[in-house]
Amino acid sequence: MMKSTSAWDRLPVTRQMAAKNPMNGNPLKTRADLCEAIKGFYAPLKPYFSEGNGRLRLGVSATHYDQTAAEMEAFVRPLWGLVPMVAGGFAFEDASRYVEGLAHGMDPEHEDYWGDVGPCDQRMVEMAGIATAILLAPETFWEPMSEAAKDKAEAWLLSVNAHPMPDNNWLFFRILTNLAMRKVGRQWSEEIVRQGLDRIETFYLGDGYYKDGEWAQRDYYLPMALHFYGLMVAGLASDLFPDYAERYRQRARLFAKDFQHWFAEDGAAIPFGRSLTYRFAQGAFWAGCAFAGEEVLPWGQMKGQLLRHLRWWSEQPFTERDGVMSIGYVYPNLFMSEAYNAPGSPYWALKTFLVLAMPEDHPFWAAEEEALPPATGETILAPAAGFAIRRSEGDAVLLMGGQDGHEHRVYDAKYGRFAYSSAFAFSVKSDATTPDYADRSAVDSGMMASFDGTCWMSRGHILESGIKEGMVYGVWQPCDRLRVESWLDFASDGWHVRVHRISSQAEIFIGESGFSVDRTAEKMPVFADGLVEEAGRVIIRTPDATSAIVDLLNKRSGAILRASPNTNIRYPRTLFPRFDGVLAAGDHWLATAVYGKPIQTKKLPALHLSSAMSAFCKKHGIALSVE
């Protein structure tokens, strides 16, 4: 197995901070190991409970929702790990603290009261965590409450039915809350549950893929939310909703065929889209499948997918000095955060620990963990989502035509890049203004355009995307004066190729780039020796990785860009290869070959186009300069 590491990964301070990660050093192979991990995540939280135990106060950074909701969120989200631990028969010494906190949080007369629920309220989101506690471990989290507290809790939780909510995965929060009230013999609305289930049906795209409601995002909310909650319903309420349960199971089986390729052999997932601070919730799909008893892959392969993913994260320095999770991805980073990421938000990562609720003799735990099958380099096309995916040794890469994610922060980086990689990740801008400086906007693996060479637009407003002529396709039209159509496909090992048709009503500056590489070791002489900048070709060859771009039509000059610190979500200091060119008003073709491997490649391997790309270029009379 090729393990993707870099000079930054090996720094003493990186290893020192990784040691603060509660999973660090844990073999993460058995139920007992995962139980210890949950206890490790919970222990640093203890000093931050409010006096009435109904809130956790973990930090002072803000979100678009109020501070009370943020403190409630921090209190509830650890339950995603604690509840399966308890349901699986493990002891939780602070269960009484949580019972008290739940009672106080839903009591309008207590100072820890979480507040009345309103339209599209964050409190609705966190009800799902409370519902999970009631559904999986009522004897621990519900029954010890007084009857008066239960009455107040019922009234507060059922207020979720009285207000509108976002038309997306949030509908499952209402569904789970009602199912929890049914579980303990309280009022609930089967009609409202069915309405929600029916509406979610309209999000289904086929082949195991959903869109996330009205915004149509296809990202990790697909496996960690829409599939995950559907599988919870299948595991908990198939008696009531057998038709929905069977659909959720069948769709999970379809999705797993593709989703297994979103992970590299070391367990790292391909990061893209919003909410990446939820980190190892990326693997929650496998936990949901196991919980529902659905063998979407052989049990040993499912177990390997989930546990390798956790082990990869166990090596990363994503917590603060006290072991509390930070906002960020591999390291603390507010640049890449969402407007709804409060200090307690990252604990949604614990959803992946749902497997703890299953007994030792469950097929998931009874199976021998299996490694990923050897990478074949096969291209997996997902027409329903508009993706192409390929896993090769040491990396997994996703090609995307783009999505319109304008309601999310730095959406151009999260949804508008051409390629996303488990080894190289992506970068976000460090300035909130128009990206006038290429290092601050850090558009790696993407495209920028400018009419004056100063004010740049990053590929973000995607008009159309999908699979076209057997390749990934996307249309970027940032304004009436510019339209860029792009076709993408994998080529020979390590390569992918992009062909762009650019239509501009004025002279246009175009920047296009490849993968970002860690530059922690750039002071080493061997590092400088691997940097190549020349007309038509840019290569970054470090002791740990290789990133390169080649102009297949010989129209542009190349350079190496040193990105501003903390822009890349994987490595704090990076550089990446970039082409710059100026095109006159009119229609033009550009073609780029992009190479990336998490090892030093002494010589770039030969480039061989896919049959689809070759046919496309022949059809349009594009003569590529392929050595």
Side-chain angles (χ1 to χ4, degrees):
M1 177 189 299
M2 179 191 301
K3 188 172 178 61
S4 299
T5 61
S6 74
W8 179 78
D9 290 305
R10 297 188 294 270
L11 284 176
V13 68
T14 305
R15 303 322 319 147
Q16 178 184 359
M17 292 308 297
K20 303 297 183 181
N21 177 343
M23 293 192 294
N24 193 253
N26 186 329
L28 295 167
K29 289 182 176 292
T30 66
R31 288 177 79 241
D33 292 339
L34 268 62
C35 175
E36 286 306 305
I38 289 298
K39 290 180 178 180
F41 279 116
Y42 176 68
L45 303 178
K46 292 182 180 182
Y48 302 109
F49 277 89
S50 62
E51 187 175 349
N53 288 321
R55 303 187 186 188
L56 265 173
R57 296 175 174 131
L58 296 181
V60 294
S61 58
T63 58
H64 68 75
Y65 47 88
D66 60 88
Q67 185 64 23
T68 296
E71 293 174 2
M72 174 213 178
E73 175 189 74
F75 168 85
V76 171
R77 291 203 172 181
L79 287 172
W80 287 102
L82 294 169
V83 168
M85 182 183 75
V86 170
F90 295 98
F92 176 41
E93 67 279 1
D94 271 7
S96 60
R97 166 181 266 178
Y98 258 92
V99 171
E100 182 179 302
L102 287 166
H104 290 163
M106 294 181 278
D107 182 355
E109 298 174 4
H110 195 277
E111 62 181 10
D112 272 1
Y113 179 53
W114 296 326
D116 295 345
V117 177
C120 301
D121 198 319
Q122 183 66 24
R123 293 160 180 81
M124 296 173 171
V125 179
E126 308 317 321
M127 285 184 184
I130 301 169
T132 299
I134 297 171
L135 286 163
L136 299 189
E139 67 287 343
T140 299
F141 295 101
W142 175 261
E143 291 173 10
M145 281 199 281
S146 69
E147 287 305 309
K150 289 176 183 175
D151 291 342
K152 292 176 181 178
E154 176 186 4
W156 190 84
L157 288 167
L158 289 178
S159 67
V160 73
N161 296 337
H163 301 284
M165 59 167 47
D167 188 26
N168 56 19
N169 72 91
W170 281 42
L171 295 170
F172 270 120
F173 306 146
R174 180 180 284 159
I175 291 165
L176 290 173
T177 300
N178 277 273
L179 291 179
M181 291 293 91
R182 171 182 176 264
K183 171 77 174 183
V184 291
R186 295 279 169 160
Q187 295 183 64
W188 70 292
S189 173
E190 181 173 350
E191 179 184 2
I192 283 178
V193 170
R194 288 192 179 275
Q195 286 175 358
L197 294 172
D198 287 341
R199 179 58 182 159
I200 290 164
E201 287 298 295
T202 68
F203 303 160
Y204 186 61
L205 298 171
D207 298 328
Y209 286 85
Y210 291 88
K211 63 178 182 176
D212 190 18
E214 58 178 325
W215 296 117
Q217 248 64 71
R218 287 93 65 207
D219 53 23
Y220 278 98
Y221 276 73
L222 202 173
M224 76 179 183
L226 291 157
H227 273 297
F228 181 84
Y229 301 131
L231 289 162
M232 285 187 68
V233 171
L236 294 167
S238 58
D239 58 330
L240 268 178
F241 309 108
D243 47 349
Y244 297 100
E246 182 50 40
R247 286 181 209 140
Y248 296 148
R249 294 175 185 277
Q250 173 62 20
R251 291 169 187 172
R253 292 194 289 270
L254 289 171
F255 182 64
K257 296 176 183 178
D258 285 0
F259 189 53
Q260 63 181 315
H261 300 291
W262 292 29
F263 298 83
E265 59 216 323
D266 62 358
I270 302 170
F272 75 99
R274 65 201 148 135
S275 299
L276 291 177
T277 198
Y278 300 155
R279 297 183 173 102
F280 42 94
Q282 291 166 324
F285 171 77
W286 307 114
C289 292
F291 179 79
E294 198 58 47
E295 191 178 9
V296 296
L297 297 177
W299 286 113
Q301 290 185 29
M302 289 172 58
K303 186 175 184 179
Q305 288 274 14
L306 188 148
L307 296 182
R308 273 192 308 276
H309 185 57
L310 290 177
R311 287 197 287 268
W312 186 87
W313 277 107
S314 75
E315 296 293 319
Q316 311 309 324
F318 63 81
T319 60
E320 303 291 357
R321 297 178 188 89
D322 59 359
V324 173
M325 284 198 210
S326 67
I327 297 170
Y329 193 61
V330 167
Y331 61 94
N333 188 338
L334 284 175
F335 285 148
M336 54 76 67
S337 67
E338 315 296 346
Y340 52 79
N341 287 160
S345 296
Y347 284 87
W348 235 359
L350 302 185
K351 291 161 71 172
T352 303
F353 286 82
L354 183 61
V355 289
L356 274 176
M358 302 172 316
E360 194 78 50
D361 61 356
H362 186 282
F364 176 90
W365 290 115
E368 289 292 325
E369 181 181 338
E370 295 180 26
L372 277 179
T376 63
E378 175 190 6
T379 295
I380 309 297
L381 280 180
F387 298 160
I389 310 152
R390 182 170 72 179
R391 184 173 63 84
S392 57
E393 188 179 4
D395 197 10
V397 177
L398 183 149
L399 302 182
M400 184 193 296
Q403 299 180 34
D404 182 7
H406 69 270
E407 72 279 8
H408 304 294
R409 292 176 61 184
V410 289
Y411 66 91
D412 61 316
K414 295 169 182 176
Y415 296 105
R417 302 294 164 81
F418 296 120
Y420 294 91
S421 159
S422 67
F424 299 107
F426 65 87
S427 303
V428 299
K429 66 185 74 170
S430 60
D431 280 1
T433 57
T434 300
D436 298 338
Y437 302 99
D439 62 328
R440 299 183 193 176
S441 53
V443 180
D444 53 1
S445 246
M447 179 176 281
M448 300 179 73
S450 172
F451 288 110
D452 61 6
T454 300
C455 294
W456 291 83
M457 302 171 286
S458 173
R459 184 177 187 269
H461 182 62
I462 307 301
L463 210 62
E464 179 186 348
S465 66
I467 303 297
K468 191 172 184 178
E469 300 189 65
M471 296 180 291
V472 170
Y473 172 76
V475 180
W476 174 40
Q477 188 166 332
C479 62
D480 292 340
R481 294 189 290 165
L482 177 65
R483 177 184 173 92
V484 180
E485 293 180 88
S486 299
W487 290 261
L488 321 169
D489 204 0
F490 289 109
S492 41
D493 186 40
W495 292 98
H496 72 268
V497 173
R498 314 166 185 165
V499 174
H500 313 288
R501 181 160 56 197
I502 298 174
S503 302
S504 179
Q505 296 180 15
E507 181 180 76
I508 189 76
F509 297 79
I510 295 289
E512 187 179 4
S513 54
F515 293 116
S516 284
V517 172
D518 174 42
R519 63 178 171 91
T520 299
E522 65 181 328
K523 297 298 183 183
M524 297 171 58
V526 68
F527 194 100
D529 292 343
L531 306 183
V532 177
E533 297 175 309
E534 55 191 26
R537 192 171 72 146
V538 185
I539 304 172
I540 301 172
R541 187 182 290 112
T542 79
D544 306 303
T546 305
S547 174
I549 53 175
V550 177
D551 188 340
L552 299 179
L553 292 175
N554 299 313
K555 293 184 177 182
R556 293 166 290 174
S557 60
I560 293 172
L561 196 75
R562 282 169 171 76
S564 289
N566 307 315
T567 46
N568 186 265
I569 66 170
R570 176 70 178 87
Y571 299 114
R573 302 177 186 87
T574 57
L575 40 77
F576 59 88
R578 169 176 154 131
F579 283 141
D580 290 293
V582 184
L583 304 176
D587 295 336
H588 302 269
W589 288 100
L590 293 178
T592 309
V594 181
Y595 182 83
K597 277 284 189 180
I599 56 171
Q600 185 183 71
T601 305
K602 297 293 185 182
K603 181 181 179 181
L604 296 182
L607 171 65
H608 300 292
L609 302 181
S610 68
S611 57
M613 182 62 76
S614 295
F616 177 85
C617 291
K618 182 178 181 180
K619 173 183 174 182
H620 292 279
I622 306 169
L624 302 184
S625 176
V626 180
E627 297 181 0

